[in-house]
Structure formats: structure tokens, C-alpha cells
Amino acid sequence: MSEPILEIDHLQVEFRTDEGVVHAVDDVSLTLAAGEVLAIVGESGSGKTVTAMSLLGLNRSPNATFRGSARYRGTQLLTASEDELRAIRGAEMAMIFQDPMTSLNPVQRIGDQIAEQILAHEKLTKAEVRDRVVELMDRVGIPRAAERARAYPHEFSGGMRQRVMIALALSCSPSVLIADEPTTALDVTIQAQILERLKELKDETGTAIILVTHDLGVVADIADRIAVMYGGRIVEEGTVDEIFYDPQHPYTWGLLGSITRVDRDRGERLPSIAGLPPSLLAPPEGCHFRARCPHEFERCGQVPPLEDRGAGHPDRCWLTVEQKRARRVVDDGEIGLAAKVAVEASPEGLVDRRETPPGAPSRVAGDAGAAEDARVAEEDR
């Protein structure tokens, strides 16, 4: 792996509101190397987009507080001046926004909007800019690019508007491309085309990509590494193979179990994670996932550090690697998040009371060294 071009260290972002302080991002540390694709995955409200927008200074406001460090090629992004950020935005770091219809100017032609960004960073003639615009639109797969450059956003389909956003982001050949939910509200066929186009452009240009999404299924074929976010924190980070085949955090198990599978019976209900994400106005003590986790026990009241506990990649869960590998397997041997269980201490270790018939001996779910950390989990929170 080459040296990182982007380094985020202990990033914290808070917003003061009438209701209180929103702890949107809590102690996030990430790196990104040239040509790498890093996927940040999590539910809505987990802090993914706030993290991405903080890098470009797009959420600066009097009520926002930023702590930690975010460096791009040595430049401190969190304290950079507006002039410094304007020189970086578009030219060095660019962003594909979530909703192209609200990101594009509805009364300005597509070609003019792409040209505007080019002229903000480069001194070119009108003819050179026009040729660059047509080349970019053609590169992202927009047919009849010279003709369509004179069209308005409402004349494009959702998939074509997203391609325009990609062309706009790539117009000045940035080193880092942040794609915020680039396939939201698109049908699966268009999703596949957009992801394939991003993959091709990364290979052609060597651009590093931060892919923000809520869908683990989207990142399987494009990402090199995955960071799973929940409640403003990174709860697990690893390569694609590590996250898909040896996930260590219960939240990751839930996300994997929620992926639509073509080999499931059509009559089966799609698995989901019970409950709702925590309010970041008053996040819970300790692990933020504890209220929704069927494997919660006493030690979860403490904040688990993001560290490698023996699986080869870091996560934020107090359970041992052996306990995790036993508990993440649900129906038919697939990885997923089980229903709430009752767990109690015994001389043998953590005893799992799930599905234990009345009067039958309980099943030991963990090793003896974890007994002191056990508790009786609530059956229904």
C-alpha cells in the first residue's frame, strides 16, 4: 500500500442546536491511499456524510465545532482558510452529491455547469473548455455528448444526471473523489452501471475514492477497504474479504444479514435490525449499539476502543473473537444478527438462553474467562 494522501485522526464534529449538542462524529480515524477505494457504510444518521463534508469544509457554520485532524498531502483541512479550501475543492478533492437533481442548477445548461468549475481552476480558452466538457460527458457514458451538453438537468434521467455529477467531479482530475450515496434512488441496473463507471475511472485515472453508502451490497465489487460507522463512530474496519467473511461487530452482522439474496425463498421476510439508531443529542453510555444488540452484557457500558482483538482487523466490541464467530451465525449458517437473547453468568462462561426449551440444559455460548462480564439481557427492550 502506498503512502496515504489523506489522513483523518480522531475527528470529532458537534453541532449546537436549540435541543442541545449533536455529537455527529465521534473519534473517527481513517487513511486513504492513492488509487484506493474506501467505503464508509452505515445507516442514515451514522455520521458518514458529516465526515465527508467536514473534509471539504462544506458544513462550517457558527454552531459547528471541529476537533482532531484531517490532512490532505500535509494541508490541515479543518483549519484551512476559505481561499485554501476553494483551491482544493474541485481541483484536488471533489464530491459527487447524493441527489443530483437538487445539486445541479435547474436553469443552467449542463455543459455550462461543468465549464464553470473548469474555469474556476484552470485558464483555458472557450474552445478548449467546450472540448473538455464533451470529452468528460462522453467518458462517463452520456451519448451524443456534444448535443446533450446544451440540455438542462430536467431533460436527463436520474441515471444520466448522476453521470453528469461524476463528470463534474472529475472535470479537474482530482486526486480524491468523495461519492456520497451515488446510487440512491436508482434502479439496480443503473446502480451497476454507475459503480462500474466509477471503477473504470479509478483504474484509468488513479483517483482515490471515498464511497459513502448504507448498502454493503453496493461496495462488494468496488471497494478495497470498508469502514462501518454507527452512532458517529467507526465500529469496524477491514478489507472487503475481512468484513464479508470474518465480520467482528454485531452491527456489521446485521447489515450483512439485511442484504437481499436471490437464493432466499420469496416468502421469507427480509431480515432487519430491530430498534432505531441512537439520538446523537444524547448518545448512550458505552457502546452506542448496545440497545439494539442481542449480545449486550455488563461491560458494554464502557466505550470499547477500536482495536484488533485477534481477528486481524480492528472493531469496537468487547466480545472475544471466539464468541463473535459463534454468535454471528444464524439461520442456515448465514451471517446475521440474532434476536434478543438472555445471557447470564455461570461457572462455565456466558450461557445463551435463546431457544432453550423449558427444563432443558442451557447452552454455553462463551469461554470461562468471560463470565465476570456477563449479564442478563432484556428479552424485549
Side-chain angles (χ1 to χ4, degrees):
M1 182 76 64
S2 58
E3 289 294 317
I5 58 175
L6 179 64
E7 298 175 273
I8 305 172
D9 293 310
H10 305 291
L11 175 64
Q12 292 181 285
V13 183
E14 297 174 347
F15 300 100
R16 296 182 301 278
T17 69
D18 292 339
E19 289 77 22
V21 177
V22 177
H23 306 275
V25 177
D26 183 10
D27 195 27
V28 167
S29 296
L30 292 168
T31 60
L32 182 70
E36 182 183 27
V37 179
L38 170 66
I40 303 179
V41 181
E43 290 173 279
S44 296
S46 62
K48 310 182 302 296
T49 298
V50 173
T51 299
M53 295 183 72
S54 298
L55 302 178
L56 295 174
L58 297 177
N59 52 3
R60 289 185 177 183
S61 64
N63 70 326
T65 302
F66 301 89
R67 300 186 185 90
S69 172
R71 293 184 176 276
Y72 169 74
R73 298 190 188 276
T75 299
Q76 176 55 260
L77 299 174
L78 299 184
T79 57
S81 67
E82 285 300 317
D83 287 341
E84 290 174 320
L85 284 178
R86 271 194 293 269
I88 291 174
R89 292 188 200 118
E92 298 289 336
M93 298 177 65
M95 189 165 183
I96 302 172
F97 292 95
Q98 186 168 357
D99 185 356
M101 193 61 192
T102 58
S103 300
L104 294 168
N105 189 331
V107 297
Q108 192 175 13
R109 298 180 191 275
I110 291 295
D112 293 340
Q113 296 187 54
I114 299 175
E116 182 180 11
Q117 176 157 294
I118 297 172
L119 291 171
H121 295 283
E122 301 180 31
K123 294 183 178 180
L124 300 174
T125 65
K126 289 184 177 181
E128 290 172 330
V129 172
R130 184 170 57 252
D131 291 343
R132 172 87 70 85
V133 168
V134 173
E135 177 192 352
L136 286 164
M137 293 179 65
D138 183 66
R139 187 195 295 180
V140 298
I142 298 176
R144 308 191 315 277
E147 175 186 342
R148 301 305 298 278
R150 294 186 53 78
Y152 292 92
H154 70 272
E155 298 178 274
F156 284 71
S157 67
M160 285 296 147
R161 282 195 294 268
Q162 196 61 278
R163 291 170 189 262
V164 169
M165 292 300 298
I166 296 173
L168 183 61
L170 293 174
S171 60
C172 295
S173 302
S175 298
V176 176
L177 179 63
I178 302 172
D180 184 11
E181 301 276 10
T183 59
T184 295
L186 301 178
D187 64 60
V188 292
T189 303
I190 303 300
Q191 282 186 21
Q193 293 175 3
I194 294 296
L195 291 173
E196 184 62 28
R197 179 56 57 184
L198 286 175
K199 191 175 180 180
E200 291 173 357
L201 292 171
K202 186 265 292 186
D203 293 337
E204 293 171 5
T205 63
T207 301
I209 299 176
I210 297 177
L211 178 62
V212 176
T213 181
H214 63 275
D215 187 355
L216 267 174
V218 164
V219 306
D221 292 330
I222 188 174
D224 298 305
R225 286 189 299 123
I226 299 174
V228 181
M229 283 194 76
Y230 183 81
R233 295 173 179 163
I234 300 289
V235 296
E236 186 167 4
E237 182 185 354
T239 65
V240 172
D241 285 347
E242 288 169 341
I243 297 299
F244 275 84
Y245 297 110
D246 194 20
Q248 296 296 300
H249 197 279
Y251 179 61
T252 310
W253 309 344
L255 292 179
L256 288 168
S258 301
I259 296 175
T260 305
R261 297 176 59 93
V262 296
D263 56 353
R264 281 198 180 109
D265 292 338
R266 296 190 63 176
E268 292 183 14
R269 188 177 182 85
L270 188 67
S272 61
I273 303 174
L276 297 171
S279 168
L280 297 183
L281 279 166
E285 294 292 329
C287 174
H288 284 177
F289 190 59
R290 58 186 299 197
R292 305 172 72 186
C293 183
H295 309 294
E296 177 197 6
F297 64 108
E298 185 176 351
R299 200 174 182 186
C300 297
Q302 306 169 32
V303 179
L306 183 65
E307 62 184 22
D308 184 356
R309 292 172 168 78
H313 66 278
D315 70 273
R316 287 187 188 268
C317 182
W318 289 116
L319 293 172
T320 66
V321 174
E322 292 74 19
Q323 290 168 348
K324 294 168 184 172
R325 287 173 177 166
R327 298 180 183 200
R328 70 191 181 195
V329 178
V330 290
D331 297 335
D332 300 322
E334 300 291 342
I335 292 174
L337 190 65
K340 274 283 189 180
V341 301
V343 181
E344 64 184 30
S346 80
E348 300 171 287
L350 294 181
V351 178
D352 185 352
R353 298 292 185 186
R354 180 184 56 220
E355 299 177 358
T356 302
S362 59
R363 296 179 289 115
V364 176
D367 59 14
E372 67 273 14
D373 291 330
R375 65 179 291 276
V376 177
E378 297 174 354
E379 287 291 344
D380 186 14
R381 187 173 291 274

